[in-house]
Amino acid sequence: MSTVLETSGLFRRFGKTEALRGVDVSVRRGELVGLVGPDGAGKTTLVRVLAGLLAPDAGTVRVLGRDPSKDPTVREAMGVMPQRYSLYGDLSIAENLQFFGRLFGLRKKDFDERTKRLLDITRLAPFTERRADALSGGMYKKLALACALLHQPEVLLLDEPTNGVDPVSRRELWELLHELVAQGMGVLLATPSMDEAARCHRVILLDQGRVLADGPPELLVRELDHPVLEVLGGDRNVVDAALLAHPDVRAASPAGTRLRVVLAPGSTERVRVALAALGARMTPVVADFEDVFLARTAHHEAVAEAGAEARAS
Amino acid sequence: MNGIRLFFLRIYAVAFKEALHVRRDVQTMIMALVMPVVLVLLFGFGVSFDLDHLAIAVADQDHTPASRAVAHALETSSDLRLVGGLDSAADAEQAFHRGDAVGVLVVPRGFAAKLARGEPSDVQLLVAGSDGSTAIQVLAKAEAVIGASAARFAAPGASVSLPISVATYIRYNPEGRSALMIVPGLVAYILAIIAVLLTALAIAREWERGSMEQLFCTPVGRVEIVVGKLLPYLVLGVIAVLLVLAAGAWVFDVPFRGDLWTLAAAAVLFLIGMLGQGLVISVLARNQMIATQAGVLSSMLPSMLLSGFLFPVENLPTPLRIFSNLVPARHFIAALRGVLLRGNGFAELSGELLALAAFAATMLLIAALRFRRRLD
């Protein structure tokens, strides 16, 4: 499979903040790559650099062999769906599609065929006269995706495409993505959701501007050498505080009525002894991709919060 | 060949989309079409350099039929208004101080007697100089009134002959009506502000609502965005010019003596220049508030002060006078006055048209060059 998108050693800073600190990523034809990381990890900056909207301070970007910040022709083969609302709210679905169709220079016949098909797939066909402002979050995202797909790009960049989308629309979007990828499109999808990351062919874990892991999600889970356990019993607040203070506990997050912990490799017995003193015990559970994420990201408290949010959503 | 098709297709796409925004945005429509007409009517009625009913008092120390005739002559003039008699020249000071009168005519004792003897007889005119332009007008008008009636007071047989007689004719505006001077100036002034604002807001809005990000992800180029954005507002501006000139002709009887196509060319070049200035502002300022302030300031002040609208350009200090050559409103006002009042055409106004074209081209060039297709 040939590579459609590749970066090496990308650096980008905003004032004092280093958003990207040496990022190497790649996407191949027919591959769906998830870009996962907590808020502020640098996902949006990376997508913008790949789209040629931001120039990197150092490093190279190649999309279909071209540098998107210098060679605008690459845009003809690239589809981008930004995270922000960036269509025209006072224009209808049909008018937004028409505008982008013209900017990409589509012939009327191609335009008519493709919009019909995209409107059918996204089930937006009955609402073509509705203004983009008046669309629900899910419908808006589907329209944005349709606008990004009109010119049948070879590479697709999606920045949190399912943010604020109901579960039904979310499933429809994913089905559409899998279909496109099966036809050979290379897709990079930035998401804070571990569920979505686990459904990608390959996942790139980004935190504080660095790539922490890169590989198929099931392989990353299998290779996880951190024990994952659930904590039962004891006074919840006391146990919680003890876990947070314990140097071997990499992450602790609520899972239903229990606490789920990710421990440093080989530290299970030490933590078991510490918890026994508080009247709590641990049972091993099967690790999932979120545990990989929690184990790999460094900061104790920050990660515990992000994990809690991810589970809650 | 396909490249050219795409170039024009993209310009058309941007212009079409912008026209949809305008059509749905009532505020923009009102600002572009209704405001200029309302402002011209307001200013046209409100601003006038013609002073009439200037308050004049008479201190008649002669108390003769001749001295009363002089006072009467003032009273019957439409420009002056007699506000009462004073006992002495000393009271004039008080009348000025209270603001009762801006001029006092003193007819000294012995005025009639001198006239009767055929000797030169003097009257004294005191003018309050606190308002310079009023003082000048009082002087001129009182002199004219008294001069005109002087012959009637002279003793029979005493002939007044001057070695040179000056006859003054004012061409193009024989009645000296301010409206004829103001309306062309107003057209340029109001359109300058509105044209700059229209485009300044159009691109700043795109930054604010985030659509610039999506736009930059497409193959559309800078020139295509700039030209496409400009076109709908140019159409709007041309309609506004027509409306304002129609209002000027209908309400203020502003004539149209010259070549329509010269005026059309001047108006289109002027509008492109001002719309281009708005584009430059919005390329530099990415939010609507800053764009509005920069747009109003940069268009209003030069168009009002350095354009010949209110003050003749010749009266400006030399550095400002040189700078005023860069103000499009100055050339547009000159062209408007030329076409409307003097009946000029391309031949007489080629200099103005050239200046307007140069400004428009410069603005579009700066806008396209400074417009970076980047988010940072």
Side-chain angles (χ1 to χ4, degrees), chain A:
Chain A
M1 282 195 285
S2 62
T3 301
V4 289
L5 181 157
E6 196 167 27
T7 75
S8 77
L10 281 187
F11 280 85
R12 172 71 208 210
R13 62 160 67 233
F14 298 100
K16 283 185 178 156
T17 317
E18 289 182 307
L20 300 178
R21 300 191 283 180
V23 172
D24 303 329
V25 298
S26 69
V27 176
R28 285 182 306 244
R29 205 170 286 284
E31 191 180 29
L32 175 56
V33 177
L35 181 66
V36 201
D39 291 338
K43 300 190 297 288
T44 295
T45 303
L46 180 56
V47 169
R48 286 178 170 174
V49 169
L50 293 173
L53 297 170
L54 289 175
D57 295 332
T60 57
V61 184
R62 285 286 174 277
V63 177
L64 300 167
R66 287 169 276 179
D67 180 348
S69 70
K70 296 205 175 69
D71 185 353
T73 60
V74 72
R75 294 173 211 278
E76 286 159 26
M78 182 163 62
V80 184
M81 182 176 159
Q83 184 182 356
R84 280 183 66 180
Y85 274 60
S86 49
L87 300 176
Y88 297 97
D90 55 336
L91 266 53
S92 69
I93 289 182
E95 288 162 347
N96 270 297
L97 285 167
Q98 185 184 48
F99 176 59
F100 288 103
R102 282 174 179 159
L103 288 189
F104 282 103
L106 298 189
R107 304 269 175 191
K108 189 167 183 333
K109 186 170 153 288
D110 292 338
F111 174 77
D112 288 346
E113 272 175 25
R114 291 180 200 174
T115 40
K116 186 180 177 310
R117 190 167 164 272
L118 285 168
L119 287 172
D120 283 345
I121 297 175
T122 53
R123 295 206 258 139
L124 289 172
F127 312 106
T128 51
E129 296 310 309
R130 194 181 284 187
R131 289 163 48 125
D133 268 347
L135 298 176
S136 68
M139 287 165 84
Y140 178 89
K141 292 280 182 176
K142 286 194 282 189
L143 173 61
L145 184 60
C147 287
L149 291 174
L150 264 181
H151 57 296
Q152 298 187 328
E154 293 172 58
V155 186
L156 185 62
L157 305 175
L158 305 167
D159 195 356
E160 304 197 7
T162 56
N163 200 359
V165 175
D166 65 87
V168 177
S169 299
R170 186 181 292 228
R171 205 174 61 216
E172 286 168 3
L173 274 171
W174 272 94
E175 280 168 10
L176 179 59
L177 278 184
H178 281 298
E179 194 186 320
L180 293 166
V181 169
Q183 289 164 7
M185 193 181 282
V187 179
L188 182 81
L189 176 140
T191 177
S193 152
M194 301 304 143
D195 293 348
E196 292 192 347
R199 298 167 69 172
C200 294
H201 295 147
R202 187 155 61 83
V203 174
I204 296 166
L205 186 57
L206 195 69
D207 188 39
Q208 300 186 356
R210 284 203 181 92
V211 175
L212 297 184
D214 183 346
E218 55 293 349
L219 188 67
L220 292 178
V221 172
R222 215 180 312 140
E223 287 177 346
L224 181 67
D225 50 2
H226 294 57
V228 181
L229 306 99
E230 276 184 358
V231 181
L232 304 120
D235 182 88
R236 174 72 173 261
N237 291 333
V238 175
V239 171
D240 221 0
L243 287 171
L244 281 175
H246 200 287
D248 289 324
V249 177
R250 288 284 172 268
S253 53
T257 56
R258 296 168 179 181
L259 277 167
R260 187 180 178 104
V261 289
V262 180
L263 304 181
S267 68
T268 311
E269 284 316 306
R270 284 200 299 277
V271 177
R272 193 185 299 284
V273 171
L275 285 179
L278 301 171
R281 59 200 165 78
M282 301 194 295
T283 59
V285 290
V286 179
D288 61 19
F289 185 73
E290 184 168 347
D291 300 317
V292 175
F293 174 80
L294 293 172
R296 298 273 190 157
T297 43
H299 295 286
H300 217 73
E301 285 183 20
V303 167
E305 275 173 29
E309 277 170 25
R311 268 185 219 286
S313 65

Side-chain angles (χ1 to χ4, degrees), chain A residues 12 48 53 55 69 75 80 82 84-86 88 90-91 95 98-100 102-105 107, chain B residues 5-6 9-10 12-13 16-17 21 24 206 208-211 213-214 216 218-219 373-376:
Chain A
R12 172 71 208 210
R48 286 178 170 174
L53 297 170
S69 70
R75 294 173 211 278
V80 184
R84 280 183 66 180
Y85 274 60
S86 49
Y88 297 97
D90 55 336
L91 266 53
E95 288 162 347
Q98 185 184 48
F99 176 59
F100 288 103
R102 282 174 179 159
L103 288 189
F104 282 103
R107 304 269 175 191
Chain B
R5 181 190 82 94
L6 286 176
L9 180 63
R10 286 177 192 141
Y12 173 69
F16 185 87
K17 178 211 68 134
H21 290 322
R24 274 163 213 180
E206 198 116 16
E208 263 183 24
R209 61 154 62 125
S211 46
E213 187 167 351
Q214 190 81 62
F216 284 170
T218 72
R373 290 193 41 143
R374 290 276 170 78
L375 293 179
D376 49 346

